[in-house]
Amino acid sequence: AVACRTPKHHSPGLVQVYLRSHSATVSSTFSVFTFIADEQILRVKPSHGPVHGGTRITIDGKGFSASRSWLCAFGSTMSRARILHDTRLECEAPASNVSHSLGMGPTVSLSLTTNTVDFTEAPVPFNYVPDILVRSVAPAQGPTSGGTRVVVSYANVCSNCTAMPLQMQCTFDRSASVPATMVGGSGATFACISPPSGRAGPVAVTLTDVYSDTMSSMSQGNITFKYVDMRLQTAEPESGPTSGGTLVVIRGANIGALPNNSALTCHFGDKPQIAEVRSPSLVACYTPAVSQQGYAMLRLQVDQVAVPGTILFYYFAEPSIASVSPMYGPNLGGTVVTLTVDERLPHSLALP
């Protein structure tokens, strides 16, 4: 066998291959070689992913012929590519085999090849992000209806995270993913809004890149978020004067089972009032004053999250006493006194 290096060729296509010596030229109908158009990488998205791999990479460029089998080369590690278009292909980042420090992931060159010998001339950098050790989530519980703002903190800082346009998501129970935003710009804390859950109980909380599937987590640790079945059920009384000040006792499932540092408020229409927790199933609050009589929607809110369930609370005009009959009686008591008022009282107050 004889090995030789191809010369630069001005255009793609088939050429005949000859083997020449001083005395003879050897060729055959099978001795042909195909020059192909130079492929080129123009853009890679995303340009980063977790060190354990699994990130879906989209590469835009030119010269991606569908008649050839393409490979993405992440440093010395190959990953099979899938042709989406003659200017776009997709591949999955493998796990990094390059050693790195705890807070800084390695950077490798990303190129393309069809034969593991010839590679694109202008490789692009691909940054591996280190696994992040989850330390805590706060608050650690919220209603099954979702909507709780959860802050996820980490025991180690990702040193090269702030230099990348990270697009992260929190994954609850390895199935429901919601967008995450970096808090403070340090790369040590992210925040996300808990999605609704069909069941109560603890679920695992992990962090993933939006380009990775939900099973390819960037975080490590056994941190959970507890979904609680919170539900508003009854309120007593269900009416009060427009001047406010009525003490309303509210009962419901787990409405008083609050995370640490969470604020519970009663809302009468658009007027919030601080609620007092008396037990896991009972809270109390005073009605605010309103300008006119009528119904107001009574609801509970934990921080910025509404507890499922609402109750209609009726505001009635402040009654005034027109007459008292009789106006006297023995000091031993027992006299039935009839009060006549100017306003019509709610049924709950009119009963003897």
Side-chain angles (χ1 to χ4, degrees):
V2 177
C4 52
R5 187 180 299 276
T6 59
K8 186 174 182 180
H9 201 263
H10 64 279
S11 62
L14 289 172
V15 296
Q16 187 75 43
V17 178
Y18 299 94
L19 179 62
R20 286 193 174 97
S21 68
H22 293 293
S23 58
T25 298
V26 179
S27 69
S28 74
T29 56
F30 300 103
S31 57
V32 292
F33 182 85
T34 303
F35 280 100
I36 58 178
D38 291 338
E39 58 276 351
Q40 184 179 0
I41 297 176
L42 299 179
R43 186 178 66 169
V44 173
K45 186 177 182 180
S47 60
H48 58 272
V51 292
H52 55 262
T55 303
R56 297 185 305 274
I57 308 296
T58 300
I59 301 176
D60 292 323
K62 61 181 182 179
F64 303 155
S65 172
S67 63
R68 292 180 288 160
S69 297
W70 291 89
L71 295 171
C72 295
F74 292 79
S76 59
T77 306
M78 303 297 165
S79 175
R80 188 167 298 279
R82 182 169 67 96
I83 292 288
L84 303 178
H85 194 267
D86 59 359
T87 60
R88 174 172 292 183
L89 52 80
E90 182 182 74
C91 57
E92 184 175 295
S96 171
N97 59 4
V98 180
S99 61
H100 60 281
S101 62
L102 180 63
M104 179 75 75
T107 298
V108 299
S109 61
L110 172 57
S111 57
L112 298 174
T113 182
T114 58
N115 56 14
T116 70
V117 175
D118 301 306
F119 298 87
T120 45
E121 291 185 356
V124 296
F126 182 83
N127 299 293
Y128 278 104
V129 179
D131 286 333
I132 304 173
L133 304 178
V134 179
R135 180 176 59 194
S136 64
V137 294
Q141 68 179 46
T144 52
S145 57
T148 303
R149 184 179 185 268
V150 181
V151 177
V152 186
S153 301
Y154 301 94
N156 63 312
V157 177
C158 175
S159 300
N160 59 347
C161 285
T162 54
M164 303 178 202
L166 291 177
Q167 293 179 269
M168 308 305 295
Q169 57 189 1
C170 294
T171 300
F172 290 73
D173 203 21
R174 292 191 175 275
S175 58
S177 296
V178 291
T181 56
M182 189 179 294
V183 178
S186 65
T189 308
F190 288 86
C192 50
I193 304 299
S194 65
S197 175
R199 59 182 177 85
V203 299
V205 179
T206 57
L207 190 72
T208 61
D209 189 277
V210 296
Y211 299 100
S212 304
D213 59 46
T214 56
M215 301 300 290
S216 182
S217 169
M218 290 183 66
S219 61
Q220 304 293 323
N222 298 317
I223 301 300
T224 59
F225 177 84
K226 184 179 180 181
Y227 278 105
V228 179
D229 185 16
M230 304 178 73
R231 194 165 301 277
L232 182 62
Q233 294 173 335
T234 64
E236 187 179 351
E238 293 185 355
S239 61
T242 55
S243 58
T246 303
L247 179 63
V248 180
V249 177
I250 302 170
R251 290 176 171 83
N254 298 304
I255 58 175
L258 301 179
N260 293 335
N261 302 319
S262 289
L264 180 65
T265 51
C266 299
H267 290 253
F268 294 82
D270 59 355
K271 295 180 178 294
Q273 293 285 96
I274 296 176
E276 175 194 351
V277 176
R278 296 189 173 181
S279 76
S281 60
L282 189 147
V283 301
C285 51
Y286 289 93
T287 60
V290 296
S291 59
Q292 59 185 12
Q293 66 182 27
Y295 285 100
M297 194 71 72
L298 169 58
R299 57 189 175 86
L300 286 179
Q301 190 166 300
V302 180
D303 295 327
Q304 301 301 315
V305 183
V307 175
T310 55
I311 294 174
L312 285 176
F313 183 87
Y314 182 75
Y315 277 102
F316 54 82
E318 194 77 42
S320 60
I321 298 175
S323 64
V324 178
S325 179
M327 300 180 65
Y328 54 86
N331 58 12
L332 294 177
T335 303
V336 177
V337 178
T338 301
L339 304 179
T340 303
V341 296
D342 293 333
E343 300 288 342
R344 181 180 178 182
L345 292 176
H347 179 70
S348 59
L349 293 183
L351 292 176

